[in-house]
Amino acid sequence: MMTFKNAIGYIRVSTERQADDDKYGIEVQKQAILLYANDNGYNIVDWKVDEISGTKDDRPGLNEILYGDDVSNPPYEAVIVFKNDRVARDTKLYFYYLYVLEKKNIKLLSTQESFTEGSEFANIYRALLQFVAEQERKNIALRTGKGRSIKASCGGYSGGRRPYGYKVVDGVLTIDEQEAPIVKFIFEKHEDGVSMLGITELLEKAGYQTRSGKRFQVSTIKSILGNRPLYEGMYKYGNMNWVKGVHEPILKGVEV
């Protein structure tokens, strides 16, 4: 009996029109990925979809795969795409993304292209990969670092793991209607003098769970409480000072 390994399916379309295009649309890519996964012993347990040009190096879905704390091995062993150009049309970007995934011990697989491990081409490919990836890593760090700092100084979301209580819509922190009540609950109970451990117990009794469907831990409560300025409408990125954020505060009108 075959044991299936967990994988993420990544789909990219350049425009809304292409999303419905029968040639390379979302459904066409999805079906090809599912077929490939089934034939090669993988089970698609999550999907990431971007509607953006392949030359862009800032894509929400791909960013979650590359930089998200929740994407690691285990539980995911591969990311499967329809074609390699769905990951990036820029060769340097493609090699960099492949490098990032390999550092996580996650394979990048394409339904249309492949090469044999251990072959002469594979060895050359790996050497080229390491060189190009390192150069592009430096370029991206310079390019995105400066841009993110400028955006953050104006109070705009500049990437990284999104704060609990918010989702990211078009690059902007937007209140998550399912998580926001939990944030309010935590601050209200803390103001009432309930300990962080006590808050985790109350959350469990109320049926509240983390994004991953698990029980809240004291460390998570501490992190949320320590991020109070953000929930009041401020924003901070890295070592920068707090500035007035452009996002809507969750704690507005809440007595805490």
Side-chain angles (χ1 to χ4, degrees), residues 6-11 33 36 42 44 48 62 65-66 71 76-81 87 101 106-110:
N6 290 338
I8 296 175
Y10 177 69
I11 294 172
I33 290 172
Y36 177 93
Y42 288 95
I44 303 298
K48 303 295 182 185
L62 185 59
I65 293 174
L66 296 172
V71 178
Y76 306 107
E77 296 191 37
V79 173
I80 303 177
V81 299
V87 177
L101 288 173
I106 295 177
K107 295 180 180 179
L108 177 59
L109 304 174
S110 165

Side-chain angles (χ1 to χ4, degrees), residues 9 18 27 74 78 101 122 134 146 148 152 154 157-158 177 184 206 231:
Q18 189 184 354
E27 285 304 315
L101 288 173
E134 179 60 22
K146 183 177 181 180
R148 287 174 178 172
C154 298
Y157 175 65
S158 301
E177 298 301 332
K184 293 179 181 178
Y231 296 117

Side-chain angles (χ1 to χ4, degrees), residues 87-103:
V87 177
R89 290 190 179 279
D90 184 293
T91 303
K92 292 185 297 181
L93 278 178
Y94 172 79
F95 277 118
Y96 173 67
Y97 295 154
L98 180 57
Y99 173 78
V100 172
L101 288 173
E102 291 200 342
K103 293 289 284 185

Side-chain angles (χ1 to χ4, degrees), residues 172-193:
V172 178
L173 288 180
T174 305
I175 290 179
D176 187 310
E177 298 301 332
Q178 291 185 327
E179 296 180 355
I182 300 176
V183 173
K184 293 179 181 178
F185 181 91
I186 290 171
F187 277 94
E188 289 169 352
K189 295 305 175 185
H190 179 67
E191 181 65 17
D192 289 340

Side-chain angles (χ1 to χ4, degrees), residues 43-195:
N43 181 35
I44 303 298
V45 294
D46 194 9
W47 293 93
K48 303 295 182 185
V49 179
D50 283 319
E51 294 184 20
I52 193 169
S53 170
T55 61
K56 303 294 184 181
D57 56 19
D58 187 13
R59 288 178 257 160
L62 185 59
N63 285 346
E64 287 185 35
I65 293 174
L66 296 172
Y67 313 118
D69 294 337
D70 296 332
V71 178
S72 61
N73 183 0
Y76 306 107
E77 296 191 37
V79 173
I80 303 177
V81 299
F82 174 59
K83 294 179 66 178
N84 285 329
D85 66 7
R86 299 299 90 191
V87 177
R89 290 190 179 279
D90 184 293
T91 303
K92 292 185 297 181
L93 278 178
Y94 172 79
F95 277 118
Y96 173 67
Y97 295 154
L98 180 57
Y99 173 78
V100 172
L101 288 173
E102 291 200 342
K103 293 289 284 185
K104 290 186 171 190
N105 197 28
I106 295 177
K107 295 180 180 179
L108 177 59
L109 304 174
S110 165
T111 69
Q112 304 295 306
E113 304 104 347
S114 64
F115 65 89
T116 304
E117 289 287 352
S119 67
E120 182 177 351
F121 173 75
N123 294 331
I124 296 174
Y125 174 83
R126 294 300 179 195
L128 178 62
L129 162 64
Q130 292 178 2
F131 173 75
V132 176
E134 179 60 22
Q135 297 306 308
E136 187 61 8
R137 182 192 67 78
K138 295 177 181 178
N139 291 336
I140 290 178
L142 289 173
R143 193 163 61 244
T144 60
K146 183 177 181 180
R148 287 174 178 172
S149 296
I150 294 174
K151 186 177 180 181
S153 67
C154 298
Y157 175 65
S158 301
R161 188 170 186 176
R162 61 185 172 93
Y164 194 85
Y166 288 94
K167 55 187 176 181
V168 180
V169 178
D170 296 329
V172 178
L173 288 180
T174 305
I175 290 179
D176 187 310
E177 298 301 332
Q178 291 185 327
E179 296 180 355
I182 300 176
V183 173
K184 293 179 181 178
F185 181 91
I186 290 171
F187 277 94
E188 289 169 352
K189 295 305 175 185
H190 179 67
E191 181 65 17
D192 289 340
V194 181
S195 68

